[in-house]
Amino acid sequence: MENQINNVVESFEQDLKEVSDLKQLEEIRIKYFSRNGLFAKLFDEFKNLPKEEKPKYGQLLNTVKKNSQQKFEELKEKLSAQAKKFEKFIDLSLPGREHRIGSKHILIQTIEEISGIFKGLGFSVYTGPELESDANNFEALNFPEDHPARDMQDTFFVNENFLLRTHTSPVQIRLMKEKQPPIRAIMPGKVYRNEAISAKSYCLFHQIEGLYVDTDVTFSELKGTLVYFAKMLFGKNVKYRFRSSFFPFTEPSAEVDIWWEPKGKEGRWLEILGCGMVDPNVLENVGIDSEKYTGYAFGMGVERMAMLKYGINDIRVFFDNDYRFLSQF
Amino acid sequence: MKVSLNWISDYIDIDDLSVDEIVDKLTTSGLEVEEVIDEAKNFENIIVGFVKEVKKHPNADKLSLCVVTDGKEEFQVICGAPNVAPGQKTAFAKVGAYLPSINLKLKKAKIRGVESFGMLCAEDELGLSDNHEGIMVLDENAPVGAPLSEVLNKNDVILDIAITPNRADALSHIGIARDIGALFGRKLKIPEVNLTESGKNVDEFASVEIENENDCPRYVAKVITGVTIKESPEWLKQRLIAVGLRPINNVVDATNFVLYETGQPLHAFDLDKLAGRKIIVKNVEDGYKFTTLDSKERELKATDLMICDAEKPVAIAGVMGGENSEVSDETKNVIIESAYFNPSAIRKTAKRLGLSTDASYRFERGCNPEITEYAAARVISLIQEIGGGEIAKGTIDVYPGKIQRPVISLRYARLNKILGFKVEPEKVKEIFELLEFKILESGDETVKVEVPLFRHDLEREIDLIEEVVRIYGFDKIPLVEKIQVALEEKVDQTAFNTKVRDYLTALGFYEIVTNSLLNEKTAKYFGNAIPVLNPQSIEMTHARTSLIPGMLGTIERNIRVKERNLKLFEIGHTFEMKTDGEIKSFDDIEETDKLTFAVTGNKEESVWYSKDRQFDFYDIVGAADELFRKLGVEEKLSDTYFLEPDNIFDFRIEKKYKKKIVAAAGKINSALLEKFNINQDVYLFDVNLDVMREIHSDTRKFNELLKFPKVVRDFAFVFDKDIRYETVVNEIQKSGSKLLKKIKLFDIFESDSLGRDKKSMAFQLEYYDENRTLTEEEIDKEFWKTIEHIKSKLKAELRG
């Protein structure tokens, strides 16, 4: 009898070890504790024992069954708690359902940022056609015909008198023809240059030009305004310089460089824009009295600004429109 | 242009100035130094080595094992040159030297198992010539261990300067020296020319006649006889090489030297090749064929100015000489041309011929008519110095109308008004004098100067103002601290487009910017395209007529990099010709601001929460509805539907404003997709933004929030399949009273049980009154009226 009892206990404990859920546990209950279970069978055997052995085995049998039931209950409790936990479980770490805000092209974002700075200074924003007349794009801007200054801007011509504008300056001409001073405006837009496509140049790019014409416009104000702009765009510690240059439509003319020192690289001066006092010839060409009024103008390439700001070193990437690029901005 | 600082120092004292100081001042004053080439730097760690021993390399027949000394230490060096021999002094590049011409940084190396510490160099490896015959053998007096740069006199600093088109005067060493002088307050030293003329008078050797005085205002010539054509001396060759020129022979080199010294282009003719020993400056007939020095035959035009002898043209004036009168090794007698040509005449010819030479580059920018005589004397004396011969007495100088120097007044008040601060009159005058302007009158309010003719760019008061600030320094201009803003209406012509962009990005679209130049076939497919006269490539010959090809091209490129699910838009101009002939005015051009947006691929990429769903037509329509609603244009547009394909879409909606098509949307047809190698559906909306901008309006008005409950009724009908949603909605609206506020389609389905030509549509109708609570009875009445109306009007069957 003792052997039989030990066998049942041993097998019960072995089975209990292998249980991992409530369903298996229920099978154990049936196997050991049901009416026909193994413990019931032991009690049946017990009934057939000789009288003198009964007290000894009766006590043992009761203790063993009680202990086993206790172990069973403990495991049941544990497994129920576990089961409850899974029932309530939500994986809060799953990625959310997709909601995507698109984005404006980084060139447009750059134009908006730059425009914003100048709008804050009271500049209006004007646009104009990209297919322009030679008169608006060159002549009125003091580029004489057959002058080497025309070589400064390689031009796509449509015919002798029409072309794809090489700068947004013709918008200045249109504006000045239409409106008497004071004029304070910027002109963003696409411009075209007949240059081979490479990492450094593309057949088109974006420009923002500015114009201010009034009775007391000075170079000193131009300089102050552009330094303010550079600080707003590149940070208040930006190091800059103005150096003399030449544009047919401004005099005196200058270019503005900023000191550029990317981490771990040697610093150098980088041109960011051209500027100057509107040439009296240009004012006269549009019917503005150049003795009474003076003006300043400036212009910058948007691609160049974006390349500097975002560390882009191949201009073509702007026009490839690779989604992997677009979605970065 | 490359200039040598050694050369510059012939004309101005710069010994006490650092290269950085010079570069900085030149750059900020308008002569932008783009590159500084320090010759000595290229010779760092390269010295005069003495070859002590030469043995055979144990493992290679053609290599030698040498022992080289710098006077202190001995180095083992492997050398492959056949001429290496003990006792030689040679160029020895030590470990650490960098040879730019072969892009080699010398390190300790093992060559066929034997260590080598440096390299013995041939001339080409040092960038001195093309010679690679053997290592460079130096003069036996060269001091062992001395830097090679010292022994070879390679101590020059070359500046590469970008000269703006107005500054023709700066295209020479004297010109640059003059600016350095003005910037540092120093005087220029122009070399004196002392000629030894002998023998016959120049008139007896040659004569010059100008037929076209307009294009050739001055022609100076000098003659030298009995010259020996040979290689130039080392100093001259070095000067030319330093500025990037190739030495040819002593006469040609002398003309190039004086060109780079004074900026005056010169040409040397073989006098004996000139028929009649005569020079005539004139135009020849259209179509004349002429072979230039570079052995190319060129067709002339009647407008090209030519230098001719008694019989034929011998040079294209100011551009390039002819083969027929070139100085050769046999040349004995030379006539030098030093002329002043009209800038625009030279530019026209050079441009047409596509021929830009040192001469044409300077003539078209404007040379100095006052320096022609000096330059001729300077070059002839140099030729004599290096080639011998006899200089004919006198100079031919044909100068029919002397060109006057411009006289310009500057008002100090104007100067200060333009600059916004005061420059002292004394400072102004000092700057003018340093720039060699002659002060004619000087008052309290104005100063009057005469400007030398080398400054072609100075004609007006404003030009003088620029000179003042250029030399005075832009960095000294004070910054204003505040500005005034006129209180007038501000305009933002980009505001509407910004709004469109804001809405589309909020709808999840990404903006693209594509090339506005297309190939002919593509451009013409979408409209009457405008060609570009001088395209960059055959892929970019026409201005775009539509944004669609740019969009499809972008989709194609993205699919190639496995980005197949896209929502994209572009805003940009398109161009069409409105005439069959030539564009004569803006009326012949239709330039339109357009918007195109498109969806393609799956709405969502494979995600855990839903099955892939492909974008379809209703995605693009839904986005457009929201966009147009936000822009306030929705109600001004009317729709027309087309189930038959056109050249762009398989099926489409056209939106019209006052009979004009202002937008179209649909599924891009497969033929077009095929052209762009796209193998997935693309749904696209193409919109005329100019019209939208014109008709959009801010119609927003606040509606009182509803105080009374809404009543809702549903019904479903079975319709014929070809009944449109739009029709049903219109009929429901017609049948309802003003209490009917909203109609919503909430289900649509087709099934076999309904019948193949049937479909079911279920609607929800919303009723309310702003002023009272509606009763169930009145709505039931109205609802049933609608049901009866639909039943009879659309032959529909009520399902529930």
Side-chain angles (χ1 to χ4, degrees):
Chain A
M1 184 76 207
E2 197 169 337
N3 271 349
Q4 282 175 324
I5 295 173
N6 285 342
N7 282 345
V8 169
V9 168
E10 226 169 78
S11 111
F12 171 75
E13 287 187 347
Q14 186 59 38
D15 282 352
L16 215 54
K17 265 186 204 157
E18 282 161 20
V19 167
S20 62
D21 61 27
L22 286 170
K23 207 179 136 208
Q24 286 169 354
L25 195 67
E26 175 64 11
E27 281 166 16
I28 300 255
R29 190 191 62 78
I30 293 167
K31 185 173 171 189
Y32 293 96
F33 301 116
S34 68
R35 260 196 305 140
N36 298 316
L38 290 176
F39 280 106
K41 276 191 183 135
L42 283 178
F43 278 100
D44 287 346
E45 296 274 331
F46 168 77
K47 280 177 197 156
N48 301 330
L49 278 180
K51 214 174 182 181
E52 62 276 14
E53 290 183 22
K54 271 186 180 172
K56 181 184 165 197
Y57 290 109
Q59 207 178 359
L60 179 65
L61 205 50
N62 276 328
T63 316
V64 163
K65 192 186 172 192
K66 206 178 146 203
N67 286 346
S68 300
Q69 257 169 341
Q70 200 181 332
K71 280 184 186 160
F72 176 87
E73 288 304 326
E74 274 167 16
L75 186 61
K76 190 175 172 186
E77 218 163 278
K78 197 173 136 203
L79 287 177
S80 309
Q82 236 170 51
K84 237 180 222 165
K85 199 175 114 203
F86 283 124
E87 229 165 72
K88 275 175 130 184
F89 181 76
I90 307 168
D91 184 356
L92 298 178
S93 73
L94 277 179
R97 291 179 208 272
E98 188 179 280
H99 285 79
R100 252 190 245 173
I101 298 175
S103 71
K104 299 182 191 183
H105 196 279
I106 189 58
L107 291 173
I108 303 296
Q109 290 184 41
T110 308
I111 289 175
E112 286 185 357
E113 185 181 359
I114 294 168
S115 300
I117 296 170
F118 287 106
K119 278 161 83 173
L121 295 179
F123 281 76
S124 286
V125 186
Y126 285 89
T127 58
E130 292 167 19
L131 210 163
E132 261 292 1
S133 64
D134 188 276
N136 285 337
N137 192 79
F138 285 130
E139 266 171 52
L141 287 157
N142 203 29
F143 283 81
E145 219 187 307
D146 283 322
H147 192 277
R150 290 211 172 194
D151 295 345
M152 292 169 83
Q153 303 184 350
D154 293 319
T155 310
F156 286 115
F157 286 98
V158 166
N159 59 35
E160 216 175 58
N161 300 314
F162 286 90
L163 44 80
L164 290 169
R165 68 177 179 193
T166 56
H167 43 196
T168 56
S169 313
V171 185
Q172 300 186 13
I173 296 299
R174 287 167 177 269
L175 182 59
M176 287 190 286
K177 277 183 177 166
E178 216 168 77
K179 185 180 180 305
Q180 277 295 304
I183 295 169
R184 193 198 293 261
I186 55 167
M187 301 82 191
K190 278 196 183 82
V191 302
Y192 298 81
R193 297 285 167 90
N194 197 341
E195 287 171 11
I197 294 178
S198 71
K200 281 190 174 160
S201 72
Y202 200 72
C203 54
L204 66 89
F205 62 95
H206 295 75
Q207 219 180 29
I208 296 183
E209 288 192 297
L211 172 73
Y212 177 34
V213 183
D214 206 339
T215 45
D216 287 303
V217 182
T218 66
F219 204 106
S220 182
E221 176 164 351
L222 168 62
K223 195 173 163 187
T225 305
L226 291 179
V227 168
Y228 166 80
F229 162 74
K231 286 182 175 173
M232 291 295 283
L233 197 66
F234 295 107
K236 63 179 192 303
N237 295 322
V238 69
K239 193 173 142 197
Y240 62 88
R241 73 176 182 191
F242 281 66
R243 65 185 155 75
S244 178
S245 189
F246 168 75
F247 307 107
F249 36 91
T250 52
E251 188 162 9
S253 304
E255 281 176 312
V256 181
D257 297 339
I258 59 169
W259 184 254
W260 198 254
E261 204 172 326
K263 260 200 181 138
K265 283 191 184 163
E266 215 176 303
R268 61 197 167 116
W269 287 109
L270 272 185
E271 179 198 326
I272 57 161
L273 55 83
C275 64
M277 301 302 291
V278 180
D279 194 291
N281 285 355
V282 174
L283 293 176
E284 296 299 331
N285 285 344
V286 293
I288 293 176
D289 182 347
S290 67
E291 270 297 307
K292 184 174 170 197
Y293 294 106
T294 52
Y296 69 61
F298 58 84
M300 66 192 93
V302 177
E303 278 74 358
R304 191 173 178 82
M305 298 290 177
M307 287 168 91
L308 278 178
K309 263 196 94 139
Y310 303 104
I312 295 165
N313 46 28
D314 186 334
I315 193 171
R316 290 170 293 196
V317 75
F318 291 119
F319 306 101
D320 282 345
N321 300 296
D322 190 315
Y323 179 77
R324 295 166 300 176
F325 170 77
L326 300 176
S327 53
Q328 285 182 38
F329 295 102
Chain B
M1 190 185 69
K2 283 187 173 156
V3 297
S4 139
L5 284 187
N6 279 355
W7 192 344
I8 290 272
S9 65
D10 285 356
Y11 316 111
I12 191 122
D13 212 355
I14 52 169
D15 290 350
D16 58 327
L17 301 175
S18 74
V19 174
D20 283 350
E21 269 176 293
I22 295 172
V23 166
D24 197 51
K25 280 260 185 183
L26 280 177
T27 298
T28 49
S29 71
L31 300 175
E32 188 190 354
V33 178
E34 291 186 314
E35 200 188 351
V36 178
I37 304 146
D38 187 344
E39 282 188 344
K41 267 207 179 132
N42 291 344
F43 289 91
E44 258 171 358
N45 286 318
I46 306 175
I47 56 145
V48 178
F50 180 75
V51 183
K52 277 184 96 168
E53 264 179 63
V54 178
K55 285 189 290 192
K56 274 233 159 315
H57 188 293
N59 309 321
D61 283 349
K62 288 189 175 165
L63 297 179
S64 313
L65 187 61
C66 313
V67 176
V68 182
T69 172
D70 62 359
K72 291 182 205 133
E73 267 181 85
E74 290 186 354
F75 301 88
Q76 176 169 287
V77 178
I78 309 287
C79 180
N83 67 332
V84 64
Q88 279 171 340
K89 287 182 179 171
T90 181
F92 173 42
K94 288 182 167 177
V95 170
Y98 174 69
L99 306 176
S101 53
I102 53 171
N103 189 21
L104 179 72
K105 172 112 185 157
L106 283 169
K107 286 178 273 193
K108 188 177 102 179
K110 241 185 190 166
I111 299 168
R112 296 273 185 111
V114 180
E115 285 192 319
S116 179
F117 299 84
M119 172 173 164
L120 305 183
C121 305
E123 285 190 12
D124 68 332
E125 289 155 345
L126 295 169
L128 296 170
S129 74
D130 299 336
N131 187 345
H132 191 70
E133 277 168 27
I135 56 165
M136 208 178 161
V137 181
L138 300 168
D139 190 277
E140 54 189 31
N141 297 322
V144 173
L148 190 68
S149 59
E150 268 174 30
V151 176
L152 297 177
N153 259 329
K154 289 287 177 189
N155 54 3
D156 205 354
V157 174
I158 310 298
L159 307 183
D160 198 351
I161 304 182
I163 311 281
T164 51
N166 57 324
R167 291 298 305 278
D169 67 292
L171 291 167
S172 67
H173 281 75
I174 288 180
I176 302 281
R178 184 184 293 116
D179 259 30
I180 294 176
L183 291 165
F184 291 96
R186 324 189 156 186
K187 265 211 109 43
L188 205 57
K189 306 170 285 186
I190 304 289
E192 267 177 51
V193 182
N194 296 309
L195 289 180
T196 358
E197 296 178 346
S198 54
K200 285 193 278 186
N201 210 305
V202 67
D203 297 333
E204 292 179 47
F205 290 105
S207 66
V208 173
E209 194 183 305
I210 302 176
E211 273 186 24
N212 184 342
E213 290 175 6
N214 184 54
D215 289 348
C216 178
R218 188 175 193 183
Y219 198 105
V220 169
K222 279 190 90 63
V223 168
I224 184 164
T225 55
V227 179
T228 311
I229 305 293
K230 56 183 180 189
E231 214 181 305
S232 293
E234 203 52 39
W235 72 264
L236 178 55
K237 286 200 285 185
Q238 282 229 3
R239 284 270 146 107
L240 298 182
I241 289 168
V243 298
L245 293 177
R246 194 166 52 92
I248 294 167
N249 60 44
N250 52 355
V251 170
V252 174
D253 293 352
T255 60
N256 278 332
F257 176 84
V258 177
L259 164 66
Y260 272 77
E261 176 178 60
T262 62
Q264 172 63 41
L266 300 158
H267 188 68
F269 294 100
D270 184 331
L271 183 58
D272 301 315
K273 290 180 187 163
L274 297 186
R277 298 195 157 203
K278 209 175 163 87
I279 283 175
I280 308 164
V281 188
K282 63 176 185 184
N283 301 90
V284 295
E285 69 272 21
D286 256 348
Y288 192 96
K289 303 262 190 341
F290 180 71
T291 306
T292 40
L293 276 177
D294 53 3
S295 307
K296 285 200 180 112
E297 190 182 80
R298 307 189 184 261
E299 195 173 310
L300 301 177
K301 282 213 152 183
T303 47
D304 297 329
L305 189 67
M306 299 299 295
I307 312 298
C308 306
D309 64 13
E311 291 163 2
K312 58 186 186 297
V314 291
I316 304 176
V319 181
M320 195 180 261
E323 225 174 27
N324 57 10
S325 56
E326 193 181 355
V327 170
S328 67
D329 290 350
E330 287 74 44
T331 299
K332 294 266 172 304
N333 307 317
V334 171
I335 181 165
I336 293 290
E337 164 196 292
S338 176
Y340 174 69
F341 299 114
N342 180 330
S344 92
I346 301 304
R347 178 171 161 82
K348 265 188 203 147
T349 298
K351 227 183 153 184
R352 203 195 74 246
L353 296 174
L355 194 57
S356 178
T357 60
D358 268 338
S360 72
Y361 192 79
R362 284 165 178 78
F363 278 124
E364 69 181 38
R365 279 161 175 71
C367 285
N368 178 9
E370 292 173 343
I371 207 169
T372 45
E373 217 183 331
Y374 173 83
R378 175 86 172 133
V379 76
I380 212 96
S381 96
L382 187 56
I383 291 171
Q384 189 184 43
E385 184 189 320
I386 60 181
E390 214 177 6
I391 301 171
K393 278 187 195 155
T395 302
I396 298 173
D397 186 359
V398 187
Y399 194 13
K402 189 171 186 301
I403 300 169
Q404 298 301 319
R405 292 182 171 196
V407 173
I408 316 170
S409 290
L410 170 73
R411 295 165 290 170
Y412 294 119
R414 182 73 181 169
L415 171 73
N416 299 340
K417 185 179 156 98
I418 296 278
L419 297 183
F421 68 103
K422 193 171 183 221
V423 184
E424 291 302 329
E426 285 316 307
K427 184 74 203 167
V428 173
K429 282 184 277 181
E430 186 192 318
I431 289 169
F432 287 167
E433 278 171 342
L434 283 167
L435 290 169
E436 296 179 28
F437 304 169
K438 192 167 155 197
I439 295 178
L440 300 177
E441 280 172 40
S442 173
D444 289 344
E445 282 167 15
T446 60
V447 56
K448 194 191 246 180
V449 296
E450 185 190 85
V451 178
L453 291 180
F454 58 77
R455 289 302 299 266
H456 272 259
D457 54 329
L458 308 183
E459 291 167 348
R460 304 166 299 160
E461 185 181 38
I462 194 74
D463 302 330
L464 293 185
I465 292 173
E466 178 166 69
E467 287 307 296
V468 172
V469 66
R470 182 173 82 79
I471 301 298
Y472 184 77
F474 280 87
D475 55 332
K476 297 206 187 95
I477 300 179
L479 304 176
V480 295
E481 280 172 4
K482 45 183 123 169
I483 61 166
Q484 286 191 324
V485 177
L487 295 176
E488 52 158 6
E489 194 195 355
K490 300 292 173 215
V491 176
D492 183 355
Q493 295 186 331
T494 61
F496 180 77
N497 285 12
T498 302
K499 225 185 231 184
V500 173
R501 289 186 165 104
D502 286 340
Y503 295 148
L504 279 167
T505 51
L507 289 167
F509 287 83
Y510 288 83
E511 184 172 21
I512 61 172
V513 176
T514 70
N515 195 344
S516 342
L517 293 168
L518 301 173
N519 66 41
E520 180 170 7
K521 213 170 128 196
T522 310
K524 285 189 170 165
Y525 188 85
F526 292 91
N528 193 7
I530 300 174
V532 171
L533 267 188
N534 51 339
Q536 187 64 237
S537 77
I538 54 159
E539 282 308 308
M540 294 163 42
T541 55
H542 288 66
R544 67 180 168 196
T545 42
S546 164
L547 300 183
I548 295 171
M551 177 63 72
L552 295 179
T554 301
I555 290 172
E556 188 265 334
R557 267 197 305 282
N558 273 291
I559 291 174
R560 250 194 282 149
V561 297
K562 304 273 184 312
E563 293 291 346
R564 310 179 155 273
N565 311 316
L566 302 162
K567 288 171 86 173
L568 303 173
F569 76 99
E570 177 166 24
I571 290 177
H573 291 195
T574 62
F575 310 84
E576 283 202 69
M577 192 140 53
K578 288 203 292 185
T579 165
D580 293 330
E582 173 91 340
I583 292 173
K584 293 198 184 73
S585 76
F586 282 104
D587 294 338
D588 298 332
I589 304 165
E590 185 160 17
E591 183 169 340
T592 316
D593 199 23
K594 287 262 187 75
L595 159 70
T596 288
F597 55 106
V599 293
T600 187
N602 288 337
K603 186 169 182 296
E604 274 139 356
E605 287 175 52
S606 315
V607 284
W608 59 270
Y609 52 83
S610 85
K611 291 259 160 59
D612 293 356
R613 174 170 84 70
Q614 294 212 328
F615 279 121
D616 64 24
F617 179 66
Y618 302 104
D619 284 300
I620 201 80
V621 167
D625 284 347
E626 180 66 358
L627 175 69
F628 292 152
R629 186 182 71 77
K630 278 289 211 182
L631 293 174
V633 296
E634 195 185 26
E635 275 160 23
K636 294 173 180 161
L637 305 174
S638 64
D639 292 353
T640 326
Y641 309 100
F642 298 89
L643 287 177
E644 56 281 2
D646 67 355
N647 67 331
I648 298 172
F649 298 110
D650 269 343
F651 52 79
R652 68 191 189 278
I653 294 183
E654 283 179 3
K655 286 192 177 283
K656 284 189 182 145
Y657 174 71
K658 291 185 177 166
K659 292 187 180 159
K660 189 183 172 186
I661 301 169
V662 294
K667 181 179 176 214
I668 297 291
N669 74 36
S670 44
L672 194 51
L673 289 182
E674 216 166 280
K675 284 197 176 90
F676 283 89
N677 288 315
I678 296 173
N679 54 7
Q680 62 188 47
D681 292 346
V682 175
Y683 299 92
L684 178 146
F685 226 111
D686 194 37
V687 184
N688 181 326
L689 268 193
D690 284 332
V691 176
M692 298 299 161
R693 190 180 303 111
E694 213 173 285
I695 65 175
H696 97 287
S697 53
D698 191 351
T699 52
R700 291 176 296 179
K701 277 271 162 15
F702 174 64
N703 286 322
E704 279 299 332
L705 302 180
L706 202 57
K707 294 190 188 89
F708 302 95
K710 300 177 192 176
V711 183
V712 169
R713 291 285 184 276
D714 296 349
F715 59 49
F717 273 102
V718 176
F719 297 97
D720 284 348
K721 196 173 167 180
D722 62 354
I723 298 262
R724 283 198 195 108
Y725 160 79
E726 186 195 32
T727 315
V728 180
V729 169
N730 284 342
E731 292 304 330
I732 294 175
Q733 230 147 22
K734 252 190 247 169
S735 71
S737 73
K738 64 178 178 34
L739 299 176
L740 174 61
K741 293 293 188 334
K742 211 166 155 188
I743 305 162
K744 187 173 142 194
L745 173 70
F746 70 87
D747 188 30
I748 185 163
F749 80 92
E750 294 167 19
S751 75
D752 289 344
S753 61
L754 288 179
R756 287 192 146 200
D757 48 359
K758 299 284 181 191
K759 67 180 168 192
S760 161
M761 284 197 270
F763 290 89
Q764 183 170 77
L765 311 187
E766 205 177 282
Y767 300 91
Y768 61 81
D769 190 309
E770 289 84 355
N771 303 312
R772 65 187 175 93
T773 304
L774 299 175
T775 66
E776 293 289 325
E777 293 77 42
E778 64 184 318
I779 295 309
D780 280 343
K781 209 175 134 199
E782 170 144 357
F783 182 58
W784 278 102
K785 201 179 127 205
T786 297
I787 289 175
E788 291 308 322
H789 180 81
I790 298 297
K791 255 189 195 168
S792 64
K793 196 79 187 182
L794 299 175
K795 296 192 194 69
E797 212 177 292
L798 186 67
R799 286 185 68 236

